[in-house]
Amino acid sequence: MRHGKKVNHLSRQTGHRKSMLANMACSLIEHKRINTTVAKAKALKQFVEPLITKSKEDTTHNRRIVFAYLRNKYAVTELFRDVAAKVGDRPGGYTRIIKMGNRLGDNADMAMIELVDFNELYNGGKKEEKKSKSRRGGKAKKAESTPAPEATPAPEAKAPEAPETSSEETTESAE
């Protein structure tokens, strides 16, 4: 039974496990997605999500706390500058784990862990707009009261055509 077992030790001693998770978190912040085993991805998710939450409020104290975990000033700078700007309005769930199958050498379960807001394939390349919650009997929507102007398509510019050469001319010049 796993009563009271809150941490997956990953068959490593404490110092090695903390260093490994710090290195994986720095790689995740730098590259936005990494491939690893499922167990390490789940442990990394628990390790990195509180750090991303801390990065949403850019204070000296939060930077020092995150640096104590990551021990890499470039990763801390990237986290507070780029990552925090993208996840500023998200209340949690900053990472996604996608299972990839088994590794060829030892048949270990592999997974890809990525930062959710940096994958344009799932987001469709655009940020989703939040729908405001309204009560019954609220104001009428502005879109219904004012008609949208008709959009006229822009004329297409044609590219100049290249002069065509026949295959006979190219074979004669090659001889």
Side-chain angles (χ1 to χ4, degrees), residues 51-69:
L51 301 181
I52 296 173
T53 302
K54 289 243 183 254
S55 74
K56 289 163 76 170
E57 185 180 350
D58 190 5
T59 62
T60 304
H61 183 62
N62 283 349
R63 281 183 179 263
R64 286 178 177 165
I65 290 173
V66 170
F67 182 76
Y69 283 95

Side-chain angles (χ1 to χ4, degrees), residues 25-70:
C26 291
S27 296
L28 179 65
I29 291 166
E30 181 183 348
H31 300 293
K32 310 302 185 253
R33 84 173 49 147
I34 57 173
N35 292 329
T36 183
T37 62
V38 173
K40 287 180 188 174
K42 288 179 180 179
L44 179 62
K45 184 172 187 151
Q46 290 179 344
F47 181 84
V48 79
E49 292 218 357
L51 301 181
I52 296 173
T53 302
K54 289 243 183 254
S55 74
K56 289 163 76 170
E57 185 180 350
D58 190 5
T59 62
T60 304
H61 183 62
N62 283 349
R63 281 183 179 263
R64 286 178 177 165
I65 290 173
V66 170
F67 182 76
Y69 283 95
L70 293 181

Side-chain angles (χ1 to χ4, degrees), residues 107-140:
N107 208 29
D109 290 333
M110 297 298 288
M112 177 179 64
I113 182 168
E114 65 182 0
L115 295 174
V116 171
D117 290 319
F118 288 89
N119 189 341
E120 282 77 25
L121 293 177
Y122 287 138
N123 296 345
K126 60 183 176 182
K127 193 173 182 180
E128 295 181 15
E129 296 180 11
K130 284 189 173 181
K131 294 182 180 178
S132 61
K133 295 181 181 178
S134 62
R135 298 182 181 184
R136 287 185 176 171
K139 296 179 184 178

